[in-house]
Amino acid sequence: MKIGILGGGQLARMMALAGYPLGHEFLVVDPNEDACAGQLCELIVADYDDPDALDRLADECGVVTLDFENVPVAAVARLAAKVPVKPGARALAVAQDRLNEKNTFTELGIPCPAYAAVDSREELDRAADEIGLPAVLKTRRLGYDGKGQAVIKEPADIDSAWSELGGQPLILESFVAFKRELSIIAVRSDDELVFYPLTENRHKNGILVTSFAPANAPKVEELAQRHARKLMETLDYYGVLAVEFFDCGDHLVANEIAPRVHNSGHWTIDGAVTSQFENHLRAILGWPLGATRAKGASAMLNWIGAMPDPATGLKYPEAHWHDYGKKPRAGRKVGHVTLNASNILTLQTELATFAMALGEQLKEWGADAFNTSRAD
């Protein structure tokens, strides 16, 4: 079957790599002529709402999916009138707007930070008084990898936060004191709903730099699954959904959802029985889902800005190299490496050895990225 993808970045590329062995073809729409999925798939260079591009997807593909959640909801709705689109417009409408997202969490009884919509400076002052400080001011739409956010630690910071972000729909969220960040990758097909083990994530400057899986999180694993199940059933969701949480010890606070395959699930390519990418394709096609259990312990490390010499990383037999074929650019995810081991102690040794050879790249991640100690 030919599968259409809106968005031609690394996620579309990895979906194609997972799908070709299953006998699929791919047709990708992306406004950038150098979209990296175009190195592997037929690429239509067009805006996401281009009617000719959408009609071609509908005519040639048996199902359409996404590698990018900020495509126009109207474009997805137009497509869905002619061809199945999974996930659908309803999930996009929630994920694209942080206020919609937080309202959905609240309606479903999923704990999230205290929040308030902010459309003026007066509303920001009022929200800061009601929610309290510290808090985080965020754009309601289009923020990712730490973009579109300003931390307000004290009243003196309000002016600069408003100067930076004012003039567009915003949301103020209370600051959450948490032990670590966790994510769950859930997959839903017509008659199955499965979960990968919880993953522990580390960020630097708002960008995910490392993920460890499985996370040692027995107290909240079932809770995370329960929250994800509520979201998928409510949104009539098919495919992979990622839900990011703050781990507060005995409870979880939901941060955000991603209606697509997710960076924190990249470890599944080399560290799980079935990757998130293959299971996403199986789910949107209504095929039986593959096993989601981890093969051992894994650490996924993003390459940010530029790819290093692979000869360094490939000295280690448990290192799996993934180059996205993207041009170097500051702050850009251009690839990742996954290290696998039979257990967390062996993984710690592998990471230490690997880090010693990285040199300057280690500075990009920060020393905490290599710390495999887990919160209980």
Side-chain angles (χ1 to χ4, degrees):
M1 179 184 289
K2 183 176 286 187
I3 297 171
I5 306 178
L6 289 170
Q10 65 265 25
L11 301 179
R13 179 188 178 98
M14 286 184 271
M15 274 191 269
L17 288 170
Y20 286 131
L22 300 177
H24 301 308
E25 299 177 67
F26 294 86
L27 182 60
V28 174
V29 173
D30 195 286
N32 300 301
E33 62 181 13
D34 65 345
C36 65
Q39 299 166 8
L40 303 177
C41 312
E42 184 177 1
L43 174 65
I44 301 172
V45 180
D47 290 335
Y48 295 121
D49 56 0
D50 181 273
D52 292 334
L54 296 176
D55 287 346
R56 187 174 167 198
L57 280 182
D59 291 342
E60 295 188 23
C61 299
V63 65
V64 175
T65 190
L66 317 167
D67 105 320
F68 179 61
E69 62 263 46
N70 287 314
V71 300
V73 171
V76 172
R78 175 192 168 117
L79 266 176
K82 300 179 179 181
V83 64
V85 182
K86 301 179 181 181
R90 186 177 180 186
L92 281 188
V94 170
Q96 285 180 0
D97 187 318
R98 286 190 170 98
L99 182 61
N100 290 347
E101 184 180 58
K102 297 301 185 295
N103 285 341
T104 300
F105 290 154
T106 301
E107 290 164 7
L108 294 178
I110 299 172
C112 66
Y115 63 95
V118 171
D119 293 309
S120 68
R121 174 56 199 268
E122 292 73 21
E123 288 184 353
L124 176 56
D125 289 335
R126 192 157 53 245
D129 286 340
E130 292 174 357
I131 291 172
L133 299 180
V136 185
L137 185 65
K138 300 179 180 181
T139 58
R140 281 175 51 179
R141 303 177 69 88
L142 297 178
Y144 65 97
D145 285 348
K147 299 178 178 67
Q149 300 186 21
V151 176
I152 302 175
K153 296 181 179 179
E154 54 188 10
D157 297 329
I158 293 178
D159 281 337
S160 60
W162 180 255
S163 177
E164 180 182 349
L165 299 177
Q168 57 190 315
L170 302 171
I171 184 171
L172 187 70
E173 298 179 12
S174 64
F175 191 82
V176 177
F178 60 93
K179 298 170 67 174
R180 56 181 172 172
E181 295 175 79
L182 299 172
S183 61
I184 192 163
I185 304 293
V187 196
R188 186 176 184 230
S189 67
D190 291 337
D191 52 13
E192 290 182 87
L193 176 55
V194 299
F195 305 96
Y196 286 91
L198 274 172
T199 301
E200 181 176 341
N201 303 307
R202 311 281 175 81
H203 294 77
K204 184 178 181 184
N205 300 325
I207 301 176
L208 178 67
V209 287
T210 53
S211 292
F212 296 101
N216 179 25
K219 295 179 181 178
V220 294
E221 187 103 30
E222 184 179 346
L223 182 59
Q225 293 180 5
R226 199 157 63 240
H227 292 333
R229 180 183 295 275
K230 280 185 183 178
L231 285 162
M232 298 187 98
E233 292 176 348
T234 298
L235 298 176
D236 196 26
Y237 192 101
Y238 296 94
V240 163
L241 175 73
V243 189
E244 299 181 4
F245 296 102
F246 299 120
D247 179 7
C248 300
D250 59 352
H251 69 283
L252 294 173
V253 173
N255 180 29
E256 62 184 21
I257 63 172
R260 52 172 169 78
V261 288
H262 193 251
N263 195 175
S264 69
H266 288 359
W267 67 270
T268 64
I269 300 173
D270 307 300
V273 176
T274 312
S275 77
Q276 65 164 341
F277 300 97
E278 180 177 335
N279 260 339
H280 180 73
L281 298 177
R282 291 190 187 203
I284 65 175
L285 292 167
W287 290 10
L289 300 181
T292 55
R293 66 180 179 276
K295 298 176 183 178
S298 297
M300 186 285 300
L301 303 99
N302 275 329
W303 298 117
I304 309 296
M307 291 294 297
D309 182 357
T312 300
L314 295 180
K315 290 178 182 177
Y316 305 99
E318 296 298 331
H320 301 273
W321 205 258
H322 298 267
D323 186 331
Y324 304 154
K326 297 167 95 171
K327 294 178 181 178
R329 190 174 70 207
R332 190 183 204 186
K333 298 172 184 173
V334 295
H336 73 269
V337 64
T338 304
L339 300 181
N340 301 113
S342 59
N343 57 66
I344 193 65
L345 293 178
T346 304
L347 182 63
Q348 177 69 70
T349 301
E350 292 281 351
L351 278 168
T353 305
F354 191 73
M356 288 178 62
L358 288 175
E360 289 299 308
Q361 186 66 29
L362 176 59
K363 295 179 181 179
E364 185 72 44
W365 279 319
D368 185 57
F370 294 86
N371 178 12
T372 61
S373 62
R374 311 297 181 88
D376 292 329

